[in-house]
Amino acid sequence: MQNNGKKAVKKAVKPIRVGKGNGCPHYKKCGGCHLQNMTYPEQLKYKQIKCIKLLGKFCRVKEIIGMENPTHYRCKVQAAFGRDKTGIISGVYQSSTHKIVPIDECMIEDKQADEIIVTIRKLLKSFKLKPFDENNMTGFLRHVLIRKGYYTGQIMVVLVTGTSVFPSSRSFINALLQRHPEITTIVQNVNNKFTSLVLGEKNITLYGDGYIEDTIFECVFRISPKSFYQVNPVMTTKLYGKAIEYMALTGNETVIDAYCGTGTIGILASKNAGKVIGVELNADAVKDAKFNAKRNDINNIEFYTADASDFMVEMAAAGEKADVVIMDPPRAGSDERFMKSVITLSPERVVYVSCNPETLARDLKYFTRNGYGVRKIQPVDMFPHTEHVEVVCCLSRKK
Ligand code: SAH
């Protein structure tokens, strides 16, 4: 698609039409997929134009990478359990409420995961187990979380319960496994707090290892009930592939992987780098990252639990240097302390992975005013039917 032309932008950005959605019967109540009223090509165009409007002033925006089959892509599926006039129901909370919209099949969720949730609901009835009631904090099953390793086929079922007592747990697990032999591990997670968080602190492994593994390119990653892991594995390989391409590593570079989560990008990059330093605020994610590095026999990577800005300020003050910085901040983007320190470290290249083009535009303005030029901008459609768009951006130091 041609960009930077103001006329083209005006013509293509149409207000969202109110329609029935792409055949999804839950569209109006659920509120999860804001772009359902557009065809998939229209959605891609909408996201492309949004990126051009926000980022086109920095550099040509490449054509968004869309999904070949933009349905059932989510490999992390969550369902809340409750009750209505018809009996036990499972589904998603209507936006900003705790009212459950009953859903058996969602067009963006993994099909196997949805089938397992329906089976669990039926089993509850036959085992006389009650769904949890948030109002008086009684009952048993609050949520079911399913995570699937797309490339390994491994499936983890997490039963989030209001009590740690699980009556007839063995027979329940056997009945579930009989109906779904594809399940590789089952975990009970106890959440007895009055909270909107899905998962509680305590995990009890009822079957299998208590975690699953999945692969990205040639690396293996462990996914535990609480681990952060990208939810759309097909597009994750496209996104990470671009990020690694833009890093243009030759084997000797010192790379900083900032906001590194469980270390996925840094671990993939480490094969072609001299040394990788990962920094991440969440201590659990860092624990997973260290484990993942070992699991893949990688010795040239170190992970630190710290605020990315504090960490970079310290590195800059210590006179350290980096050749490449890859940054993947949350929706709020980065901050001036972080970017100022990046400039002091003066890497040849900065690769910015963003889940919010608005904050990316703000941060690119800072970088371009301080010695860096934007060379490539690649939007990737990680979340079809929703309004979110991911962008990988390559900057390099001006000569
Ligand atoms: N690159 C990873 C994770 C990206 S999500 C991946 O692709 O899987 C963004 C990450 O930034 C989260 O893991 C979040 O915990 C982390 N984060 C948020 N604020 C941070 C901060 N101030 N300093 C460091 N990490 C932070």
Side-chain angles (χ1 to χ4, degrees), residues 13-28:
V13 180
K14 291 183 194 136
I16 295 180
R17 283 180 277 121
V18 179
K20 274 175 32 193
N22 284 319
C24 171
H26 314 296
Y27 169 56
K28 282 191 175 159

Side-chain angles (χ1 to χ4, degrees), residues 246-311:
Y246 290 176
M247 286 159 90
L249 301 173
T250 61
N252 303 314
E253 292 85 354
T254 297
V255 177
I256 297 176
D257 178 9
Y259 312 90
C260 69
T262 50
T264 37
I265 299 178
I267 288 171
L268 293 168
S270 67
K271 312 231 161 182
N272 291 314
K275 176 174 142 192
V276 180
I277 299 162
V279 58
E280 159 66 45
L281 193 58
N282 180 326
D284 287 336
V286 171
K287 215 166 126 196
D288 284 344
K290 286 180 178 167
F291 177 88
N292 285 331
K294 263 203 197 126
R295 174 74 180 79
N296 292 285
D297 289 325
I298 287 163
N299 300 312
N300 61 342
I301 193 162
E302 286 165 11
F303 292 103
Y304 296 92
T305 308
D307 169 76
S309 305
D310 290 349
F311 185 85

Side-chain angles (χ1 to χ4, degrees), residues 40 44 47-48 62-68 234-235 237-239 241-242 245-246 378-384 389-390 392:
Y40 190 55
L44 290 177
K47 292 182 186 186
Q48 179 78 24
K62 289 179 188 276
E63 188 167 346
I64 185 166
I65 304 176
M67 274 194 98
E68 215 166 287
V234 171
M235 296 312 278
T237 56
K238 308 254 165 156
L239 182 80
K242 275 290 157 200
E245 177 193 324
Y246 290 176
Q378 175 67 68
V380 180
D381 193 21
M382 293 285 280
F383 309 103
V389 58
E390 201 89 5
V392 194

